[in-house]
Amino acid sequence: MTPVILLAAEKKSAEVTDWAARLGWLVGLALFVALVYWLMREGWKWRGTLQGDLPELPTAPDTPGAARLTMSGRYHGSTTAGQWLDRIVAHGLGTRSRAELTLTDAGLDVVRPGARDFFVPLDRLREARLDKGIAGKVLTEGGLLVVTWEHGDRLIDSGFRSDRAAEHTEWVDDLNQMINKTEGAR
């Protein structure tokens, strides 16, 4: 026999995959991912429990008045004012969603399809500004409309992003003018 035939005759086929070990690893990985997800969910619920002292969100009055400005876009969440990573999750304020904002003489109406709507009375508005981020969302400088408002004994920052970002400046100007007039009347 030739040496090539002898070498070919001595070779064995590759070992068969150990399916039991492979399935064991996959089941273990799936359980680990489920555990991490469950822990994240429990943390979210715990944060909501800690913020349970936050009063119910106000709803829009029956006759809020004529719309001064309207905007459609996204609601990116609310945080404790000045602490852009301290997300507020109580009463659905931590849920991101589409949003329709309407500014009237009565205040700011936030309608969120699929999430809880809320209303900020004019006398509770404190400031409007452009910013680059809020918990879980970072944009370019000035890419986020942040409205600071008082609810209960807390100041809250809520972040919005318009479908047309050029509207943000007009919103900041109008909101701050209305806030300054309200503070002057007090």
Side-chain angles (χ1 to χ4, degrees):
M1 289 188 147
T2 63
V4 174
I5 295 174
L6 284 175
L7 284 176
E10 292 177 17
K11 292 244 179 189
K12 294 183 179 180
S13 61
E15 286 188 31
V16 176
T17 303
D18 183 3
W19 288 105
R22 188 168 285 188
L23 285 175
W25 277 104
L26 286 175
V27 168
L29 180 63
L31 288 173
F32 177 73
V33 168
L35 174 68
V36 169
Y37 175 78
W38 180 77
L39 288 172
M40 288 171 44
R41 185 171 175 262
E42 290 299 308
W44 186 268
K45 286 172 30 181
W46 179 249
R47 181 174 279 276
T49 302
L50 291 176
Q51 297 167 350
D53 63 333
L54 199 65
E56 283 296 318
L57 296 173
T59 57
D62 293 332
T63 55
R68 299 180 100 189
L69 287 174
T70 60
M71 176 175 81
S72 63
R74 299 218 35 101
Y75 168 77
H76 287 288
S78 293
T79 62
T80 302
Q83 298 178 13
W84 71 285
L85 291 176
D86 185 20
R87 184 185 300 265
I88 295 177
V89 301
H91 306 300
L93 287 175
T95 305
R96 290 184 182 175
S97 63
R98 293 281 308 153
E100 299 289 331
L101 273 65
T102 305
L103 181 62
T104 66
D105 289 332
L108 179 65
D109 189 21
V110 182
V111 177
R112 301 186 306 152
R116 193 178 220 175
D117 301 341
F118 62 96
F119 179 78
V120 182
L122 182 60
D123 64 336
R124 298 291 183 171
L125 290 169
R126 297 295 177 252
E127 175 192 20
R129 68 181 186 280
L130 296 179
D131 213 330
K132 64 180 176 181
I134 200 159
K137 186 65 175 180
V138 178
L139 299 162
T140 59
E141 191 67 43
L144 195 67
L145 170 65
V146 177
V147 177
T148 304
W149 52 290
E150 183 180 348
H151 185 55
D153 60 348
R154 293 187 189 185
L155 283 178
I156 296 174
D157 284 342
S158 293
F160 304 94
R161 171 95 174 149
S162 174
D163 291 336
R164 295 173 300 281
E167 295 177 329
H168 288 173
T169 305
E170 182 182 8
W171 272 82
V172 169
D173 293 342
D174 281 9
L175 275 166
N176 284 328
Q177 281 179 354
M178 290 177 72
I179 292 166
N180 291 335
K181 285 180 186 176
T182 303
E183 287 176 355
R186 283 188 217 165

